[in-house]
Amino acid sequence: IGGQFSGTFCARDLKHHFHVTIVDCKEYFEYTPGILRAYVKPCHLDALTFTLEPVIERSMGVKFIWGEVKTLDGVNKSAVIKPIFASTTEEVGFDYCIICSGCNFGPFKPMGESLWFPTVHEEEMKVSDWPHIDERFIEGRRRHVLEEYHRLIDLNKKKANILIVGAGFIGVEWATEIEHF
């Protein structure tokens, strides 16, 4: 479950020994550590993303399901998946399941929503700060990046003050990107 770094690395290594299926609720891979640059330079998003299906199925030779895992049953070794364009779910069996779905860590949001990660789960989208954007699609992610870019332009025009709380990796990088904006 998950088609980003860990999921694709596991699939690449295990495909020689197993029939591997990757399930991801996004249609694209995103190099998330670089996303801060995209907020101040939106064209940079193209360097950070690619469409998953052709890479996973054609280049890697692994099955890809673009959909959301709704339930996972370890006892019966099955997952209920809602494919992106389906109104119903389907059950997929497995012998082994590796969960590589990442995390959300926005401490002030009920489902951990954060500006730095796309909002991609149906339940999360219902309480999202940007419910009008569907970031399961790369164009939805692009639209969100552009909206934030224009918000930064407006703040810059107003000569607004920006407070960045935290001096960890994201805080320092964000301060640097804003400074060069």
Side-chain angles (χ1 to χ4, degrees):
I1 301 170
Q4 304 305 298
F5 285 114
S6 297
T8 54
F9 290 159
C10 288
R12 180 197 64 202
D13 291 346
L14 294 171
K15 72 178 186 174
H16 302 291
H17 308 286
F18 301 95
H19 296 287
V20 177
T21 300
I22 294 177
V23 180
D24 198 300
C25 46
K26 295 187 313 299
E27 75 170 321
Y28 58 93
F29 175 92
E30 176 181 282
Y31 180 72
T32 304
I35 198 64
L36 301 176
R37 171 74 43 91
Y39 285 122
V40 298
K41 186 179 178 187
C43 66
H44 189 64
L45 185 65
D46 291 337
L48 303 173
T49 57
F50 61 81
T51 305
L52 283 171
E53 188 271 334
V55 172
I56 290 173
E57 290 203 344
R58 293 186 207 130
S59 298
M60 291 178 59
V62 171
K63 181 176 173 53
F64 175 65
I65 298 174
W66 179 14
E68 182 176 347
V69 175
K70 299 305 242 175
T71 61
L72 190 60
D73 183 344
V75 174
N76 294 312
K77 295 186 175 185
S78 67
V80 174
I81 300 168
K82 183 173 182 285
I84 190 73
F85 294 113
S87 58
T88 59
T89 59
E90 58 186 58
E91 188 170 336
V92 176
F94 58 83
D95 292 310
Y96 301 97
C97 178
I98 302 174
I99 302 171
C100 303
S101 55
C103 67
N104 287 345
F105 59 87
F108 306 112
K109 302 296 177 185
M111 299 189 113
E113 183 175 58
S114 166
L115 183 61
W116 318 125
F117 299 103
T119 301
V120 295
H121 299 103
E122 285 182 330
E123 293 302 312
E124 184 181 22
M125 289 166 45
K126 292 176 185 176
V127 295
S128 174
D129 283 347
W130 35 90
H132 60 288
I133 299 174
D134 191 344
E135 291 184 278
R136 297 174 299 179
F137 296 84
I138 196 164
E139 287 308 314
R141 185 64 165 153
R142 186 178 321 283
R143 184 172 164 203
H144 188 188
V145 166
L146 285 169
E147 281 186 12
E148 296 302 326
Y149 172 72
H150 288 291
R151 184 171 291 136
L152 288 171
I153 287 173
D154 291 343
L155 289 170
N156 194 38
K157 285 178 185 174
K158 294 179 199 176
K159 302 216 183 291
N161 292 312
I162 297 175
L163 173 65
I164 297 172
V165 178
F169 175 75
I170 292 175
V172 171
E173 186 176 349
W174 190 227
T176 304
E177 294 294 352
I178 294 292
E179 177 67 23
H180 292 285
F181 174 69

